[in-house]
Structure formats: C-alpha cells, structure tokens
C-alpha cells in the first residue's frame, strides 16, 4: 500500500481543493458509505450477540407481585381472604460446564469475521478511489488525442475548402469527404469530452460527494510500482494467508462449527438463588421471609427442537465451507489473471515507451523541416505524439491498478511489506 489511506472523520463533506492530489483524495474517504455503514452495523450486531450470550451467567434480579384470593382450610375462617404477596428474586448461574464458553467462542469468531468484512470493504473503497482518480487523468489524455485529431481533420478540410473557394483547385466531392471526416472527429471529441466529465463526477460519487466537482488533478508518482512480475505461487500463498475475504470465510466456518458443537451439548446448570418475600397475611412458622438455595438444573428430554437446532447448525457449517471453497477458487483464478496481466503490461509498456520515443524524434524532425520550408505536417506529428503518450500513461496506470488489486487481495501486506 504505497498511497496514503487515511479516513477523515468530519462533520460534513470536505470540498475539493482547486488542485487535487491522489493522497488528498484518499484522505477524503470516510465512513459515510452505505456499504461501510452496513459492515459497521454487522459488527454491532455481532457484538450484541456476544453480549447476549455473556449475559446468560450474569446476576439477575426481579420482583414478582401476585394479587391472590384464597380459601384456606381453617376452622375459624372458611371464606376467601387476601393472600397477596411480593417477592424479590436474585439468581446467579455459576456454571453450565462448557456450554456458554462454547457459545462465546462461536460468537467471538463471528465478530472477528464481521471485522474482516469491514476491513475488506474499506480496502475496496480505497481501491475504487485510486481507480476513479487515475481514470480522470487518463480521460484528460484521451481528450487531448481527440482534440488533436479533430483539429488536424479541420485544418485539412479548411485548407481544401479555401483552395476550392479561392483558386478552384479542389472539387466539391473532395471537400465534402474532408468535411465529413472532420465532423466525425468532432463527434468523437464530444463523446470523449462527455466521458471526461463523467469520470470527474464518478470520482465525486466514489468520494461520497455528489454535489462537488473535482477539476484539476495532479499526476501521481508511480515509480514505486515499477516492480518485477511476482511469482504466482509465492504471491498466491501470501494472499490466501492475508486476504480479508478468506480470513472472514475461515472465521465463519469455525464460528459455525462452534455453534454446532454447542447445539449438540446437553449440560446441567449450577447456580444460586435468593428470595425475599412479603405477605399480606402471614402465619407464624408457616412461611419463609428469606430463602437461599443452590440449584442444579439437569435437562432430561430436550425434545425434537434440539434435533432441529443441530440440523440447522450442521447445514450452516456446510454452507460456510462451500463459501470458503468458492472464494478460494475465485481468488486463485483472479491472482493468476492479475499476474499474467503484469507480464503483458510489461511488454506493452516497453512497446509504448519505444513508440513515444520514436514519435517525439519524428516530431522534432518535422519541426526542423518546417523551419526549412519543407512540406511537413506538424499537426500529424503532434497527434502521433499525443496518441503515444496516452498509450504510455494508460499502460502505466494499468500497472498501478494491477498492483493495488493484488495488494488489496493480500490485505494491504504486499506493497507495504516491500517498504519496510
């Protein structure tokens, strides 16, 4: 992870500066994204589940009030009398012989999985910002190419039109052909211009600032991404160890196994209980005002519901194992594709650099011939240089995004590890 990834905590959206750098854009990332908020809600839910299980062994106290009428078998009193009472009950389970501990382990693993998912989403958002930022700069280069192409077509059409109107040295068909070509190039430039604006609006949306509009971008330094193509097996091993998506899937498998283990457990509960009771009518020696007891609850017949719980927990284990296998399969294919893209990118980068060098030398020659009054087309030379430069920048940014994708898959440990 070579570019900074700070997440700003602000009261409102930070406006775009007049000149925006990639580091500034990354610092604008915050937690007000729907996917980030959903991941945070999942963490809160997992924490609540953990707290709910922990509460099973907490001290509990409640008051019971009973309004009762009773007919007691007492010779002197055979009518109904007020026999209401109020009880304060304090209970504390002491042990269930491993059941709660197993449930806590499963809930804790589920919480860790939710945190890994939150980490993955934050990493994905960071990658989206880098991609959107680079697309803006690349769209500017594409616009330069389209503008040069349109300008060259217009100049050719304009010269031919002038020759026809002033010297009658061109026929209308030739002029019409060049005009058609110019209008085609003009239409292409309009489309490229719209894509240029769209790329800026997309960056604003990625940064969760739909009402803002970034204007001028600073090209980032990408020299740190000029790295050898990694070995597939080595980088795959790192990614399978550190990928947040893999880690979350593995934690989900272990969490569901713990829940299955808890569902299969039948354990007694040992605890203490204290009761304090007040009666509307009391009889000496016949009722307890205070009572303390130790209890041992032993389940005898859990019923069919336990079998259903076990079956559901077992199915969840299988679902999570299948999801883990699917994620590993997709990651293996994706890493292979990215590594191969790096190899192709290196070949393309060498070809693009060679073409740019050739086009720049060619333009220098054309300019020299123009100064010596030889016939030459500076416009065509400028267009070729613009195309070659766009190719170089496109290839360079493709390499940056490939490395950033690999680093995101590796949980941010790939590029950062090489820095230390």
């Amino acid at each position: 992870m070579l570019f900074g990834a700070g997440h700003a905590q602000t009261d409102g959206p930070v406006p775009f500066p007049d000149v925006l750098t990639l580091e500034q854009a990354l610092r604008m990332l915050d937690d007000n994204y729907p996917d980030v908020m959903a991941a945070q809600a999942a963490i809160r839910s997992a924490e609540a589940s953990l707290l709910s299980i922990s509460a099973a062994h907490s001290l509990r106290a409640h008051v019971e009030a009973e309004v009762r009428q009773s007919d007691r078998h007492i010779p002197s009193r055979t009518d109904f009398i007020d026999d209401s009472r109020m009880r304060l009950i304090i209970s504390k389970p002491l042990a269930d012989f491993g059941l709660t501990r197993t449930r806590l382990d499963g809930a804790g693993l589920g919480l860790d999985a939710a945190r890994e998912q939150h980490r993955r989403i934050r990493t994905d958002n960071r990658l989206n910002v880098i991609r959107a930022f680079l697309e803006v700069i690349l769209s500017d280069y594409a616009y330069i190419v389209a503008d040069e192409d349109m300008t060259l077509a217009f100049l050719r059409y304009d010269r031919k039109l002038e020759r026809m109107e002033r010297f009658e040295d061109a026929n209308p068909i030739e002029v019409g052909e060049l005009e058609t070509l110019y209008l085609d190039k003009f239409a292409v430039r309009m489309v490229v211009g719209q894509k240029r604006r769209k790329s800026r609006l997309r960056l604003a949306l990625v940064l969760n600032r739909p009402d803002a509009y970034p204007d001028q971008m600073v090209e980032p330094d990408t020299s740190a991404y000029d790295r050898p193509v990694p070995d597939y097996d080595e980088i795959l091993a790192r990614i399978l160890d550190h990928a947040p998506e893999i880690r979350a899937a593995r934690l989900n498998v272990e969490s569901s196994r713990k829940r299955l283990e808890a569902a299969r457990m039948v354990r007694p509960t040992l605890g203490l209980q204290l009761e304090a009771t007040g009666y509307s009518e009391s009889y000496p020696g016949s009722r307890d005002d205070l009572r303390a007891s130790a209890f041992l609850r032993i389940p005898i017949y859990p019923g069919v519901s336990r079998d259903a719980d076990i079956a559901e927990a077992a199915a969840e284990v299988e679902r999570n194992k299948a999801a883990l296998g699917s994620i590993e399969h997709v990651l293996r294919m994706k890493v292979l594709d990215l590594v191969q893209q790096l190899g192709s990118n290196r070949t393309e980068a060498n070809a693009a650099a060679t073409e740019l060098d050739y086009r720049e030398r060619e333009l220098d020659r054309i300019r020299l011939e123009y100064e010596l009054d030889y016939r030459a087309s500076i416009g065509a030379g400028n267009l070729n240089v613009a195309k070659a430069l766009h190719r170089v920048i496109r290839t360079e940014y493709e390499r940056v995004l490939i490395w950033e994708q690999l680093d995101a898959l590796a949980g941010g440990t790939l590029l950062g590890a090489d820095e230390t």
Side-chain angles (χ1 to χ4, degrees), residues 106-368:
L109 290 167
L111 175 59
D112 292 339
R115 288 170 174 164
E116 287 292 339
Q117 288 289 3
H118 177 262
R119 178 186 173 198
R120 180 190 64 80
I121 290 172
R122 293 282 291 268
T123 301
D124 288 346
N125 286 345
R126 177 184 177 277
L127 180 60
N128 289 336
V129 171
I130 295 176
R131 179 181 288 107
F133 187 94
L134 298 182
E135 284 178 355
V136 171
I137 298 177
L138 196 59
S139 71
D140 290 341
Y141 278 99
Y143 185 81
I144 292 172
V145 172
D147 188 64
E148 288 284 352
D149 201 12
M150 184 211 69
T151 301
L152 180 60
F154 172 77
L155 292 175
R156 288 171 176 168
Y157 157 68
D158 188 61
R159 284 196 298 266
K160 185 68 71 172
L161 179 63
E162 183 181 13
R163 288 173 60 184
M164 183 185 73
E165 292 177 346
R166 294 184 58 184
F167 309 108
E168 297 183 356
D169 192 24
N171 62 62
I173 295 178
E174 293 176 338
V175 174
E177 180 184 4
L178 292 176
E179 182 182 15
T180 300
L181 181 61
Y182 155 64
L183 292 176
D184 287 343
K185 301 296 184 181
F186 180 79
V188 170
R189 193 191 71 161
M190 287 289 295
V191 172
V192 173
Q194 291 172 351
K195 291 182 178 179
R196 184 187 185 199
R197 176 173 176 80
K198 181 180 179 181
S199 68
R200 282 169 164 77
L201 294 177
R202 182 176 183 273
L203 175 60
L205 291 174
V206 168
L207 288 171
N208 205 26
R209 286 159 177 79
D211 298 328
Y213 184 81
D215 185 17
Q216 186 175 353
M217 311 291 165
V218 177
E219 296 185 32
D221 179 13
T222 61
S223 57
Y225 294 89
D226 188 12
R227 299 164 175 244
V229 178
D231 179 75
Y232 168 72
D233 291 326
E234 292 180 2
I235 197 171
L236 177 64
R238 178 185 288 271
I239 287 173
L240 291 179
D241 283 341
H242 296 90
E245 195 172 8
I246 283 286
R247 292 166 67 92
R250 289 172 178 167
L251 288 167
N252 281 330
V253 170
E254 294 304 317
S255 176
S256 58
R257 283 175 175 166
K258 286 293 183 179
R259 285 192 288 271
L260 175 59
E261 181 182 347
R264 289 171 172 166
M265 296 174 71
V266 179
R267 296 290 188 272
T269 300
L270 176 66
L272 299 175
Q273 183 166 301
L274 174 66
E275 296 182 33
T277 308
Y279 303 93
S280 61
E281 184 166 333
S282 60
Y283 301 94
S286 64
R287 291 180 170 176
D288 300 329
D289 293 329
L290 296 175
R291 178 183 298 171
S293 59
F295 61 86
L296 181 66
R297 299 193 181 99
I298 303 175
I300 298 177
Y301 178 65
V304 180
S305 62
R306 176 172 174 267
D307 295 334
D309 292 340
I310 292 175
E312 182 178 357
E316 185 181 10
V317 172
E318 294 305 314
R319 285 195 301 268
N320 288 334
K321 288 170 65 176
L324 173 60
S326 177
I327 292 171
E328 287 184 349
H329 175 75
V330 171
L331 276 181
R332 289 176 185 274
M333 296 300 298
K334 190 170 185 177
V335 172
L336 177 61
D337 182 56
L338 290 172
V339 171
Q340 290 178 341
Q341 286 182 38
L342 280 176
S344 301
N345 177 269
R346 180 170 293 276
T347 302
E348 171 66 11
N350 292 335
T354 301
E355 181 190 6
L356 178 60
D357 181 68
Y358 159 68
R359 294 301 184 185
E360 288 176 339
R361 292 175 182 271
E362 181 186 43
L363 181 59
D364 291 339
R365 178 184 60 79
I366 292 174
R367 286 171 176 164
L368 179 61

